[in-house]
Amino acid sequence: MLIDSHCHLDRLKAAPDHQSLKQIISDAKARDVDYFLCVNVRQQGFISMRDKMAEFDQVFLSAGVHPLDVQEGLDTTELNVFVKEPKVVAIGETGLDYFYANETKALQQQCFEQQIELAVQVNKPLIIHTRDAREDTLNFLRNGHADKVGGVLHCFTENWEMAKAAIDLGFYISVSGIATFKNAGDLRTVMRKVPKDRLLVETDSPYLAPVPHRGKENQPAFVRDVAEFIAELRGESYEELAQYTTDNFFNLFTDAAKLAGR
Ligand SMILES: [Zn+2]
């Protein structure tokens, strides 16, 4: 069994309605993908995401505000209500992105700090997006005592020092299809080193389709391609990687484990 630890099922062009979403989920199932974490990026989009996913017990949710969506604002009172919804197993995605939006730095930092505080308060792990902001991301996590709840650096593209620092803080490293790209040699070196008990796999669909699906819209079924690629890279079998990344997912997202009856 595989779990797509980070996808945006509510944003797939291939799944505009209920029937097509059902198909996407069964296509994934046909490739051994049994569970999904559907990640919220805009607070204003949470309710419609939740409603779309309501009937799918295999889809867990997060609630939060992405660093590139902070201009839409973060309402902590409302977010506090969202994160207590039964299927919400994590806070995020939150974090810092100085690459695409250096001009909103101060607002990103404020929203990041508030979401770390909320995560600690409600005892749920954090889903972190970080780009060109290594030091600040780690400092906010440390200062906010994020080690109490842990979390994941999703779609990891940073260096080994950053991975190591995050792992030392109790965080997991999630690998996406980016690792399959031709020019991702440095990232592959990092992915060989991540300890088995800290690795997760994801698609980040609809974005970043892995090889051999480049140019298509990404979907959770393709996490199988990421998993097979990474297993080979690490000299492991697919079955072994599938087993330990699944265990890792449920060890991190303990509310998901309860919902799945594990
Ligand atoms: Zn994402």
Side-chain angles (χ1 to χ4, degrees):
M1 182 209 301
L2 283 173
I3 301 179
D4 188 353
S5 75
H6 190 116
C7 55
H8 304 282
L9 279 169
D10 56 325
R11 296 188 151 204
L12 296 185
K13 285 198 200 83
D17 54 32
H18 185 78
Q19 206 44 43
S20 53
L21 189 55
K22 230 171 159 170
Q23 187 60 48
I24 288 282
I25 287 173
S26 84
D27 290 349
K29 171 78 184 159
R31 296 198 72 203
D32 205 22
V33 187
D34 283 10
Y35 291 99
F36 313 82
L37 178 45
C38 183
V39 176
N40 185 210
V41 289
R42 297 171 45 246
Q43 192 166 348
Q44 288 87 336
F46 177 80
I47 297 288
S48 75
M49 178 183 89
R50 179 201 64 187
D51 292 348
K52 268 188 183 170
M53 302 305 147
E55 98 159 59
F56 301 105
D57 289 343
Q58 61 277 67
V59 179
F60 310 115
L61 308 177
S62 76
V65 179
H66 191 288
L68 299 177
D69 290 290
V70 288
Q71 270 150 324
E72 289 191 26
L74 186 160
D75 174 346
T76 45
T77 312
E78 185 187 58
L79 192 57
N80 214 299
V81 175
F82 290 171
V83 301
K84 287 169 186 147
E85 291 259 348
K87 283 175 81 177
V88 173
V89 303
I91 311 301
E93 57 185 286
T94 178
L96 300 171
D97 191 324
Y98 299 165
F99 182 78
Y100 284 115
N102 202 37
E103 68 286 357
T104 60
K105 222 170 170 173
L107 187 56
Q108 288 185 40
Q109 291 174 355
Q110 186 196 329
C111 290
F112 189 27
E113 206 167 20
Q114 286 172 323
Q115 289 177 84
I116 296 169
E117 197 182 318
L118 177 61
V120 172
Q121 194 188 315
V122 300
N123 194 29
K124 287 186 200 284
L126 285 151
I127 299 170
I128 307 293
H129 169 110
T130 178
R131 184 133 190 224
D132 269 11
R134 286 175 195 165
E135 276 315 303
D136 281 3
T137 297
L138 290 168
N139 283 334
F140 275 96
L141 291 175
R142 286 192 191 107
N143 296 339
H145 306 289
D147 56 317
K148 286 186 184 164
V149 291
V152 54
L153 299 197
H154 108 86
C155 202
F156 192 82
T157 53
E158 305 290 338
N159 60 13
W160 172 245
E161 285 65 41
M162 174 108 191
K164 174 82 171 64
I167 289 167
D168 289 345
L169 265 176
F171 277 65
Y172 289 71
I173 304 297
S174 181
V175 60
S176 71
I178 291 180
T180 69
F181 297 178
K182 208 185 257 174
N183 60 2
D186 291 347
L187 181 59
R188 283 190 281 276
T189 306
V190 174
M191 288 308 166
R192 279 194 200 98
K193 289 202 222 177
V194 175
K196 279 184 191 173
D197 63 352
R198 293 309 179 89
L199 189 68
L200 298 174
V201 286
E202 67 171 84
T203 56
D204 203 13
S205 50
Y207 318 109
L208 302 167
V211 172
H213 306 286
R214 300 292 295 138
K216 283 189 220 160
E217 185 181 56
N218 201 0
Q219 55 173 280
F222 299 165
V223 79
R224 173 71 181 252
D225 300 281
V226 177
E228 285 177 350
F229 181 92
I230 296 296
E232 184 169 357
L233 175 76
R234 290 164 60 93
E236 298 162 357
S237 68
Y238 161 73
E239 289 74 18
E240 183 185 10
L241 180 132
Q243 179 67 54
Y244 71 72
T245 54
T246 295
D247 291 344
N248 292 344
F249 181 89
F250 286 122
N251 285 339
L252 174 60
F253 301 109
T254 51
D255 290 341
K258 279 177 219 149
L259 288 165
R262 290 175 61 113

